């Protein structure tokens, strides 16, 4: 009988520790073909500060975080595969997948994650125009779902061919059903500034100070034949990798390339440490206002990483993937 009572007590302790108390959210996962490793998690809507590391042991992992409202968590794997997970207070989900086919992983446990699984299955073999069509239809069919915030950012804002008017309309549709969603309202306000930076036009007038106190402005942009303004953060492995490649190109450009990086970190000290440990040697601006930075809003930079490519003082491209950006720079040089 004593053993039975101890077992019940142990189950109770495990249940409490797994985030079912209404103030936490937990993930239990299992990967085939991955015995040991790690990946990262952050929140694009700002509900988490920085980035957490999730360690995989014997093909399994667990993760728990404080959660007092619905939010989106983004899992980032070493090959830059992204997996959104939609968190809710007091809920838990399970993730199963094959490390060699990460795009086919599934997340089970809540309605929004189930909807995301269905959407990913729908677009498996779809063309880019078809994917945008499906994303728009999903948002119109499920305006109450947190999945819509992720889809509107990924397919209508954070892309080399953004559609800001459609994004604005879709956000308005969602806000009618999610009036307390602060992330959607930030996206709405951010889109208003997107028109400030258009292909073929000059960058709007701005002034800022870099991390060493030096004045940075439009004049800095025009000092080189080609300039890249990009966003990064110490918690985004993908953005650090992009910035390292840009810094290498800048060093070998003979002065023809200038890189201006805007950090979305809350700590300038942490920003400096990451710059030093990753050999980041370029102009870095860190106003410590994170995603609410006025400079980011003015320049219409919407995500981490993001970028603006400028040639001879005119914007030639926006929101390029790292491979596309580096390819354009290699041709320019």
């Amino acid at each position: 009988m004593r053993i039975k009572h101890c077992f019940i007590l142990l189950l109770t302790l495990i249940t409490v520790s797994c985030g079912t108390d209404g103030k936490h959210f937990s993930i239990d996962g299992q990967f085939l073909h991955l015995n040991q490793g790690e990946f990262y998690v952050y929140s694009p809507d700002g509900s988490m500060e920085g980035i957490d590391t999730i360690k995989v042991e014997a093909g399994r992992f667990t993760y728990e975080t404080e959660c007092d409202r619905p939010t989106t968590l983004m899992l980032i794997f070493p090959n830059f595969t992204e997996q959104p997970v939609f968190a809710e207070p007091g809920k838990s989900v399970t993730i199963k997948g094959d490390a060699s086919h990460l795009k086919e992983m599934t997340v089970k446990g809540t309605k929004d994650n189930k909807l995301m699984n269905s959407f990913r299955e729908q677009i498996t073999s779809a063309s880019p125009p078809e994917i945008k069509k499906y994303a728009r239809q999903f948002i119109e069919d499920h305006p109450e779902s947190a999945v819509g915030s992720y889809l509107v950012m990924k397919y209508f804002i954070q892309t080399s061919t953004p559609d800001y008017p459609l994004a604005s309309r879709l956000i308005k549709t969602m806000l009618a059903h999610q009036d307390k969603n602060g992330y959607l309202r930030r996206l709405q306000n951010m889109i208003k500034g997107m028109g400030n930076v258009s292909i073929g036009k000059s960058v709007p007038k701005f002034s800022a100070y870099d991390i060493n106190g030096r004045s940075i402005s439009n004049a800095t942009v025009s000092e080189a034949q080609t300039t890249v303004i990009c966003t990064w953060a110490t918690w985004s492995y993908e953005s650090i990798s992009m910035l390292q490649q840009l810094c290498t190109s800048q060093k070998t450009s003979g002065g023809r390339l200038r890189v201006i990086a805007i950090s979305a970190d809350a700590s300038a000290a942490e920003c400096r440490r990451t710059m030093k440990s990753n050999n980041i040697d370029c102009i870095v601006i860190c106003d410590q206002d994170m995603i609410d930075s006025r400079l980011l809003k003015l320049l219409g930079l919407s995500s981490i990483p993001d970028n603006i490519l400028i040639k001879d003082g005119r914007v030639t491209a926006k929101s390029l993937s790292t491979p596309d950006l580096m390819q354009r720079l290699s041709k320019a040089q």
Side-chain angles (χ1 to χ4, degrees):
M1 183 66 69
R2 181 178 298 176
I3 293 176
K4 181 179 180 180
H5 287 166
C6 289
F7 182 67
I8 294 173
L9 176 61
L10 178 61
L11 286 178
T12 302
L13 291 173
I14 290 174
T15 300
V16 171
S17 68
C18 287
T20 56
D21 59 0
K23 297 181 180 179
H24 293 81
F25 173 78
S26 63
I27 304 173
D28 289 308
Q30 181 178 2
F31 285 131
L32 296 175
H33 305 116
L34 179 62
N35 186 55
Q36 190 171 14
E38 63 181 31
F39 56 96
Y40 308 98
V41 57
Y42 75 96
S43 175
D45 59 18
S47 60
M48 281 177 56
E49 288 190 10
I51 186 170
D52 279 347
T53 300
I54 298 178
K55 295 187 178 297
V56 179
E57 298 286 349
R60 296 178 178 273
F61 67 90
T62 59
Y63 177 74
E64 180 181 284
T65 184
E66 293 183 357
C67 182
D68 59 5
R69 57 185 172 84
T71 188
T72 302
L73 303 178
M74 194 68 71
L75 307 185
I76 306 294
F77 298 92
N79 66 349
F80 300 140
T81 295
E82 292 185 348
Q83 172 65 49
V85 175
F86 302 96
E88 298 177 30
K91 300 290 186 178
S92 62
V93 298
T94 59
I95 295 179
K96 290 187 177 181
D98 187 325
S100 59
H101 298 88
L102 288 173
K103 292 184 178 181
E104 299 176 8
M105 75 181 79
T106 58
V107 183
K108 297 182 179 180
T110 68
K111 179 181 178 180
D112 281 335
N113 287 296
K114 182 178 180 180
L115 287 172
M116 187 65 207
N117 290 337
S118 298
F119 178 79
R120 291 182 68 178
E121 291 174 2
Q122 184 182 31
I123 65 172
T124 299
S125 57
S127 66
E130 289 175 330
I131 292 175
K132 286 191 173 184
K133 177 183 176 182
Y134 293 145
R136 176 180 179 174
Q137 189 64 54
F138 178 95
I139 295 170
E140 292 174 345
D141 290 344
H142 305 281
E144 79 292 343
S145 174
V147 177
S149 301
Y150 168 77
L151 296 182
V152 77
M153 172 63 85
K154 183 174 180 63
Y155 297 112
F156 302 106
I157 299 177
Q158 188 185 351
T159 170
S160 58
T161 56
D163 189 339
Y164 301 134
L166 177 56
S168 182
R169 291 198 299 272
L170 292 173
I171 289 172
K172 186 177 180 179
T173 298
M174 287 186 284
L175 279 172
H177 297 263
Q178 306 179 50
D179 62 324
K180 295 182 179 180
N181 190 323
Y183 179 54
L184 278 177
R185 296 202 178 276
R186 287 199 298 272
L187 288 181
Q188 188 179 51
N189 292 330
M190 181 180 65
I191 288 176
K192 294 178 181 179
M194 294 299 190
N196 294 336
V197 181
S198 300
I199 305 298
K201 294 185 178 181
S202 302
V203 173
K205 291 184 178 180
F206 74 93
S207 61
Y209 291 95
D210 74 1
I211 202 165
N212 298 312
R214 182 174 57 170
S215 178
I216 306 298
S217 66
N218 299 73
T220 313
V221 174
S222 61
E223 288 175 355
Q225 179 181 347
T226 302
T227 300
V228 175
I229 301 178
C230 65
T231 63
W232 74 289
T234 58
W235 41 263
S236 171
Y237 181 80
E238 182 181 3
S239 72
I240 293 174
S241 175
M242 178 191 69
L243 190 51
Q244 287 174 323
Q245 293 179 60
L246 287 173
C247 287
T248 299
S249 292
Q250 179 179 257
K251 289 179 182 178
T252 59
S253 71
R256 295 187 298 276
L257 173 64
R258 169 65 54 84
V259 178
I260 301 175
I262 305 172
S263 169
D265 285 293
S267 168
E270 181 64 23
C271 181
R272 287 192 182 92
R273 283 193 291 270
T274 302
M275 289 173 61
K276 183 177 180 180
S277 62
N278 289 277
N279 298 315
I280 295 172
D281 184 18
C282 66
I283 296 171
V284 172
I285 298 169
C286 182
D287 58 17
Q288 303 183 101
D289 288 332
M290 303 176 70
I291 60 175
D292 291 323
S293 166
R294 291 183 179 180
L295 183 56
L296 291 180
K297 293 177 181 178
L298 176 66
L299 297 177
L301 292 165
S302 59
S303 58
I304 310 297
D306 202 353
N307 54 74
I308 303 171
L309 179 60
I310 305 161
K311 185 173 176 60
D312 297 326
R314 302 283 179 177
V315 176
T316 60
K318 297 166 56 179
S319 301
L320 295 171
S321 66
T322 300
D324 287 345
L325 177 59
M326 301 312 299
Q327 183 179 27
R328 291 207 184 197
L329 291 178
S330 65
K331 290 180 178 179
Q333 297 181 35

